[in-house]
Amino acid sequence: MVPAPPDDREPDFLEEDVVETPLEQLTRHWMNERHAPDILPAQEALLAALLDHLRRQSDAVQLLRGDPSTSEEEHIRIMLVQTEIERVKFIVRSYVRTRLFKIERYARFITINADIQTRLTAAERDHASRHVPRSTKNLLHAKLTDQHFYLEILQSLPEKQSHLDDTPMFVPPMVTEPDTSRPVFVHALKQCPTVRLPDGATLDMKKGHVSLMPYAIVEQLVARGEVELI
Amino acid sequence: MALPQSLRTSVTPPELELVASQLLIEIVPLISMEKTAFISGAYGPLRPPNKAKIPLWMAVNLKMKKKCHIVAPEWLNVDYLQDKLTQETTGPSFSSLPFRFTEIAKVILDVASDDVENPDKLRSLLKDLREARQAKSREGLKTLDHSELSLSNLCSMEINEIRPYFVQSMSILTQLVRNPGPDPLRNP
């Protein structure tokens, strides 16, 4: 006999109704960041709390390791805690690297767009500006690439074409921008407000709804945690 | 670079497995352990032979050291999957399965095939299910437009599999119908 699923829902040990733990939150933000074409708001407090927790767990493991009288069962317990530390570290690392990748890619755009800057941490902003010239504020990645382009090519071009942010006719812009029209797979975590689709129709997403649509449509819903990208 | 090329547009199956391994599963422990605080929550105490709920990754770890038996989730049995397969092959829509069933089934069949009944039959049923559903999602590509495509009951691994074609096809459709109104390239 097939066991009857409890109250209409499919048996699933994915318990979405309970409050998310910090690790579950970070996992969701990590997956969102991996799928979203744009840079999402930084999760500084969450990340700091988890890093703190990681440190405490590592310290506890070190302490227990030093004790020579640990039993075999205690040994397994330490091994499990250690394994979890590595799992969490992997997620943290991948999350930070994903953001770093986008920041380097869109460095020039970040320096001229105030909205996207609000979504970065102070350290991330510094890194982005590492690459823009002094003329456009002191931002580092943007600075480095700009200097490189200028020295190699731009300085030899006519004055009218020697800037990266020129908008000559019939030529796509040279500043790389996030493509927010890129489609993403969306999974509704709760009943969502109505969204308007590119073809003019509207869509009400119920909890559990899965859909493919342009990122721009669900940008707000992702930021508010009403949907996740999968 | 900060992110290798292969990870830029999608996530990989091992990463999905990592996410799925956080879900809780029942075990019959063979060792006892005090209740322990982990980053993801507190688990235990383990008192053989009482069943306990712990994350899948932990169960896999203990299983590989022969310190527990994994209790298969209620959907991982021949009757249930056979039933789903019948639904899948007779109806036009996707039957509903747990969102991460592929990952979980794979992990359990890999490390704990001695804890489930008839693992070979399960494997072949899972394969048939996958093929039946794959055929349907390919059909779904026909109805794709630039706007939206609902994919109810599609599961995590299946979405990852169709992602490249679907995202690219939809991007192309978007370019084709893009509103020809204010175009910065044409109106200097």
Side-chain angles (χ1 to χ4, degrees):
Chain A
M1 253 313 282
V2 179
D7 56 330
D8 275 324
R9 283 194 57 214
E10 278 309 307
D12 193 343
F13 44 125
L14 182 71
E15 282 159 23
E16 289 164 313
D17 287 317
V18 296
V19 179
E20 276 184 315
T21 64
L23 181 60
E24 284 166 343
Q25 287 177 36
L26 185 71
T27 309
R28 173 164 58 83
H29 290 302
W30 169 47
M31 282 292 131
N32 284 350
E33 199 69 69
R34 283 289 287 277
H35 294 307
D38 203 354
I39 303 177
L40 301 175
Q43 302 295 328
E44 247 182 321
L46 177 65
L47 204 56
L50 268 168
L51 287 174
D52 210 44
H53 203 157
L54 272 175
R55 212 164 310 140
R56 287 203 305 274
Q57 291 287 87
S58 308
D59 290 349
V61 166
Q62 288 305 330
L63 211 67
L64 288 169
R65 276 244 171 96
D67 185 358
S69 65
T70 45
S71 61
E72 196 208 343
E73 279 158 17
E74 192 67 1
H75 209 79
I76 287 182
R77 199 150 80 131
I78 297 174
M79 183 269 300
L80 289 178
V81 173
Q82 189 75 52
T83 307
E84 191 191 41
I85 291 175
E86 294 307 321
R87 281 173 56 89
V88 178
K89 276 186 181 166
F90 178 88
I91 295 175
V92 168
R93 244 179 249 140
S94 181
Y95 171 71
V96 174
R97 288 174 77 120
T98 306
R99 290 182 62 86
L100 199 56
F101 161 67
K102 291 189 197 173
I103 288 165
E104 290 185 355
R105 175 173 218 174
Y106 304 125
R108 196 76 183 38
F109 180 71
I110 291 169
T111 59
I112 52 171
N113 184 299
D115 175 50
I116 201 167
Q117 286 181 29
T118 63
R119 283 181 255 143
L120 304 185
T121 66
E124 288 174 338
R125 272 197 299 276
D126 280 352
H127 185 77
S129 28
R130 194 191 298 191
H131 300 233
V132 188
R134 246 162 302 152
S135 55
T136 50
K137 289 185 217 157
N138 36 348
L139 284 175
L140 195 52
H141 193 95
K143 198 190 275 181
L144 293 176
T145 49
D146 265 26
Q147 264 167 9
H148 173 69
F149 290 150
Y150 181 75
L151 293 175
E152 291 301 317
I153 304 156
L154 294 173
Q155 63 173 351
S156 334
L157 294 177
E159 169 62 24
K160 273 185 97 172
Q161 292 164 21
S162 69
H163 301 285
L164 273 177
D165 41 11
D166 288 338
T167 47
M169 265 186 288
F170 312 119
V171 181
M174 282 180 284
V175 178
T176 315
E177 285 180 33
D179 172 19
T180 57
S181 69
R182 196 175 88 193
V184 289
F185 287 91
V186 178
H187 178 220
L189 296 174
K190 47 181 86 162
Q191 171 76 40
C192 297
T194 310
V195 289
R196 185 165 288 277
L197 301 169
D199 63 1
T202 57
L203 178 70
D204 271 314
M205 284 189 284
K206 284 200 201 68
K207 187 179 166 190
H209 182 97
V210 174
S211 206
L212 175 69
M213 61 177 90
Y215 171 72
I217 311 254
V218 288
E219 199 175 352
Q220 298 300 321
L221 301 184
V222 173
R224 287 202 298 267
E226 292 173 338
V227 299
E228 63 178 346
L229 303 183
I230 49 177
Chain B
M1 279 305 262
L3 205 62
Q5 189 75 46
S6 57
L7 301 183
R8 287 182 195 172
T9 49
S10 189
V11 297
T12 61
E15 284 172 319
L16 289 176
E17 203 178 294
L18 178 112
V19 173
S21 295
Q22 190 58 50
L23 300 173
L24 300 182
I25 190 160
E26 249 184 344
I27 60 154
V28 177
L30 300 175
I31 50 156
S32 51
M33 188 177 92
E34 292 310 310
K35 185 167 181 161
T36 308
F38 287 86
I39 294 175
S40 51
Y43 307 112
L46 305 185
R47 298 265 180 269
N50 295 334
K51 286 184 182 175
K53 271 198 163 186
I54 58 172
L56 185 57
W57 64 265
M58 205 181 277
V60 167
N61 237 298
L62 291 176
K63 175 70 193 175
M64 294 211 284
K65 296 190 164 54
K66 302 202 170 30
K67 303 292 183 201
C68 80
H69 293 298
I70 293 179
V71 181
E74 49 189 340
W75 50 265
L76 190 60
N77 64 63
V78 172
D79 288 342
Y80 185 88
L81 292 180
Q82 187 73 62
D83 193 52
K84 288 288 169 187
L85 183 61
T86 315
Q87 279 180 37
E88 208 69 65
T89 45
T90 50
S93 64
F94 290 96
S95 65
S96 67
L97 281 156
F99 187 60
R100 302 193 188 276
F101 83 97
T102 328
E103 296 95 310
I104 295 162
K106 177 187 180 294
V107 171
I108 293 178
L109 287 172
D110 276 358
V111 303
S113 56
D114 53 332
D115 288 342
V116 293
E117 272 176 56
N118 219 340
D120 291 330
K121 178 74 179 157
L122 284 179
R123 284 199 188 92
S124 93
L125 275 172
L126 285 165
K127 190 163 174 279
D128 292 346
L129 257 178
R130 183 186 144 177
E131 280 164 9
R133 290 166 70 92
Q134 223 171 20
K136 284 188 196 171
S137 53
R138 291 207 182 113
E139 283 294 301
L141 202 49
K142 284 184 193 156
T143 62
L144 189 71
D145 62 10
H146 70 285
S147 176
E148 191 259 345
L149 182 68
S150 289
L151 300 153
S152 289
N153 290 337
L154 222 59
C155 296
S156 148
M157 198 61 90
E158 293 162 343
I159 288 173
N160 213 45
E161 211 173 336
I162 62 169
R163 189 184 324 270
Y165 312 101
F166 277 61
V167 166
Q168 209 175 359
S169 315
M170 199 161 169
S171 295
I172 293 171
L173 288 168
T174 304
Q175 279 172 27
L176 291 176
V177 298
R178 187 168 277 173
N179 189 356
D183 188 338
L185 303 184
R186 256 150 248 191
N187 307 315

